[in-house]
Amino acid sequence: MMHLTEEEMIEQAYGERENTVAVESRFARHLAVCPLCEDAFAELKRDLAEVDRIQAPARDDLYGARVWAAIADSLPVYKPKPRTWWAIALSSPWNRGLAYAAVTTMLVSCAFYAGRLWEQQKRQLPVAIVSPVPKKPQQPKQPIVVVVLDDHLDRSERFLVELKHADLDSTDMASPLRDEARSLLTANRICRQKTNKTADPELTTALDHLDTLLGEAADAPGGLNPQSISRLQEEMNADGVLFEVRVVRSRIAHNASANNPQKGGTI
Amino acid sequence: MDRNDHAAIQAVLAGDKEAYGALVVRHSQTLFRVAFRITGNEADAEDAVQEAFLRGYRKLEGFESRANFGTWIYRIAVHCALDKVRRRRISEILRVGDSDDPELDQIQLADDAAGPDRLLLSGEISAMQMAALQSLTATERTAFVLRHMEDRSTAEIGAALGIDPNAAKQAVFRAVQKMRRRLAPLRVAT
């Protein structure tokens, strides 16, 4: 059997506050079964009880005052620290209450704002992860005038093709050609006005030649007859109007497809 | 912390030196009691009390308002009393060493212990106990006084002495062992 050490007994005798219940119960159990330790512990307690508490000589009520009188002269005076503006402001209970309220309001506002940001991020995040839809490229601005111009050039090209292959012996085509020429002439003039601002010399030249040709076809004296059609065919071939129109139209279509590759080649 | 103590400290730090007087009056008796138990004489105890209040005043700016001023100044007083005991020990050793008496030259340590017979005969048991206390080192004596007479816990003793609680516990153990050995003749005689 392990006997208790003197240190354990001293600790127990003084009832150390840090002692756990388990330690104390183990100590008591051992004393109950070990007469040697029981005697030793009793002797220790008796010894400690015999050591008197040293009684300090009594000091009268003026003792404290005498101590103070003895040291007071040697003590420097503390210089009060200058009060900061906020310390002065907070010295009033009313101001302190206001300050607390302001700080609380600010904290609540910040928390609310942070919460909203957090919610927004949470809402956006799954969409970005689950469905990584590529961002739709921004649609390039497609000038309406290009579409109209292409349409006009298309009609003009067809008109020129019909004029080139017109049957000089038949008069059936004369009237529809003239009507088409008149219609195209109006559209051509509008296009010319618009394209003058674009500083595209090829287009301007082509529209000028087309204007001359369409004007003669629309306003041919006595209407379109085989002679006038033949003359127009010669002028058309001489100026290469059909070729010019095709080139310009092709270039416009190419530019349009270059600006918008996903849309295909033609407008 | 005592509201009065707190208010007095604030007043002192604000420039009212006299407010410290109230603290001195309030805690002097407690400090004297512990200082006397450690030093064993009135003059040293009174010096220790004054020294404690002086040190406390100089360190007052570093005193944390949440702490208890009574506990704080008590620890300072323990330190001051301990210093007194240590200085006295050194001066006594030097005094014995400087003696011209060849008989005393053979004894290098001061010994206040009187013979048990004389003590028993004169009935000065408490004087013998005091002598036993004096035989302890300054730390052991202080630890024993704080444990046995001031009912302080090991942690509090450690804090007061500026040592680890385990070291404080060991100091108490050693002090009790030495005291019992020194007082053993008294026990046999009775």
Side-chain angles (χ1 to χ4, degrees), chain A residues 6-8 10-11 14-19 40 43-68 70-81, chain B residues 12-15 17-18 20-21 24-25 28-29 32-33 36-37 42 46 49-50 53-54 57-61 129-130 133 144 147-149 151-156 169-170 172-173 176-177 179-180 183 187:
Chain A
E6 191 179 5
E7 288 183 357
E8 286 175 313
I10 292 169
E11 196 172 338
Y14 280 126
E16 185 61 51
R17 282 175 235 165
E18 284 84 359
N19 278 356
E43 192 178 337
L44 170 69
K45 285 176 78 174
R46 192 170 56 245
D47 288 350
L48 290 176
E50 283 173 0
V51 178
D52 296 331
R53 296 190 174 212
I54 300 169
Q55 295 303 319
R59 284 290 176 269
D60 58 30
D61 292 342
L62 295 175
Y63 172 64
R66 285 199 301 277
V67 172
W68 172 238
I71 65 171
D73 291 340
S74 58
L75 300 179
V77 178
Y78 275 102
K79 287 180 181 172
K81 290 178 182 173
Chain B
V12 172
L13 294 176
K17 189 175 83 171
E18 295 301 317
Y20 195 66
V24 172
V25 169
S28 285
Q29 299 278 0
F32 176 76
R33 188 195 66 218
F36 180 81
R37 283 173 169 169
E42 291 184 51
E46 289 193 347
V49 170
Q50 290 185 14
F53 280 118
L54 281 169
Y57 187 87
R58 291 193 198 106
K59 294 179 180 175
L60 207 56
E61 277 184 313
Q129 289 176 349
M130 185 61 87
L133 269 176
F144 182 76
R147 172 77 272 193
H148 187 78
M149 301 177 193
D151 293 322
R152 301 284 168 171
S153 70
T154 304
E156 288 170 324
K169 190 183 282 186
Q170 291 302 317
V172 172
F173 292 156
V176 172
Q177 285 171 337
M179 289 287 289
R180 294 186 77 195
L183 297 175
R187 189 167 60 242

Side-chain angles (χ1 to χ4, degrees), chain B residues 59-70:
Chain B
K59 294 179 180 175
L60 207 56
E61 277 184 313
F63 173 72
E64 291 181 21
S65 58
R66 286 173 297 177
N68 186 301
F69 178 77

Side-chain angles (χ1 to χ4, degrees), chain B residues 106-183:
Chain B
Q106 295 173 3
I107 306 164
Q108 292 300 314
L109 292 173
D111 188 0
D112 296 335
D117 293 342
R118 187 174 63 82
L119 288 170
L120 281 170
L121 287 170
S122 62
E124 294 179 344
I125 295 172
S126 60
M128 189 170 178
Q129 289 176 349
M130 185 61 87
L133 269 176
Q134 297 291 346
S135 71
L136 304 176
T137 66
T139 304
E140 288 166 356
R141 177 188 165 89
T142 307
F144 182 76
V145 165
L146 293 177
R147 172 77 272 193
H148 187 78
M149 301 177 193
E150 295 282 319
D151 293 322
R152 301 284 168 171
S153 70
T154 304
E156 288 170 324
I157 296 167
L161 293 174
I163 58 177
D164 185 76
N166 276 330
K169 190 183 282 186
Q170 291 302 317
V172 172
F173 292 156
R174 286 195 306 274
V176 172
Q177 285 171 337
K178 287 182 182 178
M179 289 287 289
R180 294 186 77 195
R181 275 202 298 272
R182 292 296 296 257
L183 297 175

